[in-house]
Amino acid sequence: MVTLSLLTGPVAVPLALAGARALGGLAVRVRPRRRVGEPAAPRPVPALTGAGPAPGPRPPVAPPDAGLPDAALPAVRDGGAGCRGGEAVLLLSALTVLGCAAGLAVAVTRHGPVTAYGRLLRADALSVWMLLAVGAVATLALAAGPRGPDHDAAAARRYDVLVHALLATLSLAVLAANLGVVWIAIEATTILTAFLVGHRRTRACVEAAWKYMVICSAGIALALLGTVLLYYAARQAGIPEALALDWPTLAGRAGRLDPAVTRLGTGLVVLGFGAKAGLAPLHAWLPDTYGQAPAPVSALMSGVLSSVAFAGLLRYKVIADTALGPAWSRALLTGTALLTLALAAALLIGQRDYRRMLAYSSMEHMSLIALGAAVGTPLAASAMLLHMLGHGLAKAVAFCAAGHLERLRATTRTGRVRGLLAEAPVLGAALALAVLALLGLPPFGLFAAELGLVRAGFAAGMGWAVGGALVLLLTAFAALGTLTARMLLGAPPAPRPPARLGVRAALPLLAGLLLCAALGVSTGPLTGLLASAAEIAGGR
């Protein structure tokens, strides 16, 4: 009964909270009738990062050098009592996912994989590791980031419902044992995040949402075709219809699948789920989407949605490695990783928008994760999974800090931000440390992950690929470090009193940085879970 609750909770609780939040807004608000000759009441002015009830141009904002007075950041973030209540319920949803993941980690470590609902839901070490990443990054992003538009009750309600549903579908994508259900869950995340990206209803937001929807829908369609081909291969191999998409069954009988059909199916899945993960060639949606979405949504998309999509890809890779041998997926993933890394490094050099800069950084890190999957050894798989969690935490801190910076300076242009450490010391320090973590410097977890990946690559005879990746990584390192240093150092454009971030926003950012640093020192109680997850991801 406890295991059933732990497997059901990450999906059922966010969905129940989404339903309750939606039903709570069904009451009809009656406007008082205006008498003849009485002037109309003034319409509320949208907040800095909010959106009005109808599409239109963004509201006027303060000039880039205007700044905000002392204690302005927490004042901007804190809405009314209803907004704080919405934040608390969102945190409850994220904490439920994290708590259930912790309970499942204990159960899986002690007893092995657990299932529920006729093997529809299944928790093994890999799915629990990903569920921990979803819960940890979601809790951090929703606690630290500036939420969506609070001036409009309907918009705030819509935002909350979509985020709750997104957490439920992310959890379902990692806990589902049936590959068809995995596909459905990842497709559902596409629809939900498209609405979240266009939430502010500006021209740029709607354009980014449409671009995201079109490109990712094309990718997901390719993944669906690949899944159908794998189902056909399973049926031709004599696997019963009810188990033809059951991942444990397919992984155990993959040697009986038709090699040609399996090769085509997994190739389409790599393209399709790779689009959701931000891998080339279907990556063009990523910078616009991350640049226009609300900061917590960008943190969720970069920190966990891309990793969840790649974890789905890993399930297919395990089947392909058994059916075809590791050479096929190794060549495919290595080429994809190096192409993505080259594009990210080149685009980072000329970048002038700090949110798009972080988006291209996500492409860089997802390419390293793909390279770890290509190497495929236990050390490489451990480094890859550690990279997923460390990148999620660091990117959540970076995007949430960027969201507060956008509210402070009313711009996302790097050229208009100078002297951030002098103007907002806490915010500047949080952004600086998050970028240092993304650069892979010690003691952060990404340093240990990248070091493990390099060691594993050379040991597996892929020194040429790792060497090329290191050259491209150095280019991206220089570009990202230079752009961030220009924003942080020097004197502010105009003298003004320091802007405080506020305890409610600063503490989660600090906690995320501490967790990321702790992963670079030791995985602690997660060591056994990480080793077991690496064995699954490596096909052993």
Side-chain angles (χ1 to χ4, degrees), residues 12-257:
V13 172
L15 283 180
L17 293 175
R21 185 74 171 104
L23 292 174
L26 293 180
V28 178
R29 294 178 296 173
V30 180
R31 294 183 178 179
R33 181 176 298 179
R34 182 164 56 93
R35 297 178 181 177
V36 178
E38 181 179 296
R43 298 182 66 179
V45 178
L48 180 63
T49 57
R58 292 185 70 173
V61 296
D65 59 348
L68 294 179
D70 190 29
L73 286 178
V76 171
R77 182 173 185 270
D78 295 343
C83 299
R84 289 192 294 271
E87 288 180 349
V89 177
L90 285 176
L91 276 177
L92 175 61
S93 190
L95 287 170
T96 299
V97 175
L98 183 58
C100 290
L104 287 172
V106 175
V108 168
T109 303
R110 292 179 178 176
H111 309 295
V114 294
T115 61
Y117 303 109
R119 297 174 59 173
L120 180 63
L121 296 181
R122 181 178 185 272
D124 55 22
L126 177 59
S127 58
V128 171
W129 181 268
M130 296 308 305
L131 193 64
L132 281 171
V134 172
V137 175
T139 301
L140 173 59
L142 297 176
R147 57 180 279 124
D150 294 337
H151 66 282
D152 185 347
R157 183 183 307 114
R158 188 165 53 247
Y159 175 88
D160 292 348
V161 170
L162 290 170
V163 172
H164 284 303
L166 177 61
L167 291 179
T169 52
L170 287 171
S171 301
L172 179 61
V174 299
L175 290 176
N178 186 288
L179 295 181
V181 178
V182 172
W183 181 89
I184 291 171
I186 293 179
E187 169 64 7
T189 64
T190 304
I191 298 171
L192 294 169
T193 46
F195 283 106
L196 285 167
V197 170
H199 190 61
R200 293 189 292 187
R201 298 191 182 184
T202 65
R203 180 184 180 89
C205 289
V206 174
E207 197 173 294
W210 274 109
K211 181 183 288 188
Y212 170 69
M213 192 70 182
V214 170
I215 296 177
C216 285
S217 293
I220 288 296
L222 293 175
L224 175 61
L225 180 57
T227 303
V228 170
L229 289 173
L230 200 63
Y231 174 84
Y232 170 78
R235 295 291 292 130
Q236 291 298 110
I239 298 177
E241 181 180 355
L243 299 175
L245 286 178
D246 182 65
W247 182 78
T249 302
L250 286 173
R253 305 184 191 179
R256 298 161 53 182
L257 301 181

Side-chain angles (χ1 to χ4, degrees), residues 257-362:
L257 301 181
D258 181 83
V261 177
T262 305
R263 184 179 295 108
L264 179 58
T266 52
L268 292 172
V269 168
V270 168
L271 278 175
F273 283 170
K276 286 286 292 183
L279 297 175
L282 299 178
H283 67 282
W285 60 270
L286 190 140
D288 292 327
T289 301
Y290 289 4
Q292 295 299 325
V297 176
S298 296
L300 285 171
M301 294 180 70
S302 176
V304 289
L305 179 54
S306 55
S307 295
V308 166
F310 196 85
L313 187 155
L314 287 175
R315 300 284 184 180
Y316 290 83
K317 176 185 176 295
V318 171
I319 298 170
D321 285 349
T322 304
L324 308 171
W328 160 249
S329 60
R330 175 174 289 183
L332 185 59
L333 288 173
T334 300
T336 301
L338 293 178
L339 175 61
T340 304
L341 185 54
L343 287 171
L347 293 169
L348 273 171
I349 293 174
Q351 193 49 240
R352 297 296 178 265
D353 184 296
Y354 55 80
R355 291 191 65 172
R356 292 172 69 90
M357 174 187 76
L358 294 175
Y360 289 125
S361 171
S362 295

Side-chain angles (χ1 to χ4, degrees), residues 466-529:
V466 174
L470 287 176
V471 173
L472 295 171
L473 195 61
L474 183 61
T475 305
F477 182 105
L480 184 59
T482 301
L483 289 171
T484 307
R486 290 175 182 172
M487 296 166 55
L488 294 171
L489 303 179
R496 55 174 63 88
R500 293 188 294 107
L501 182 58
V503 176
R504 288 181 57 207
L507 283 181
L509 294 178
L510 176 62
L513 292 169
L514 289 176
L515 283 174
C516 194
L519 287 175
V521 177
S522 172
T523 51
L526 300 177
T527 302
L529 182 69

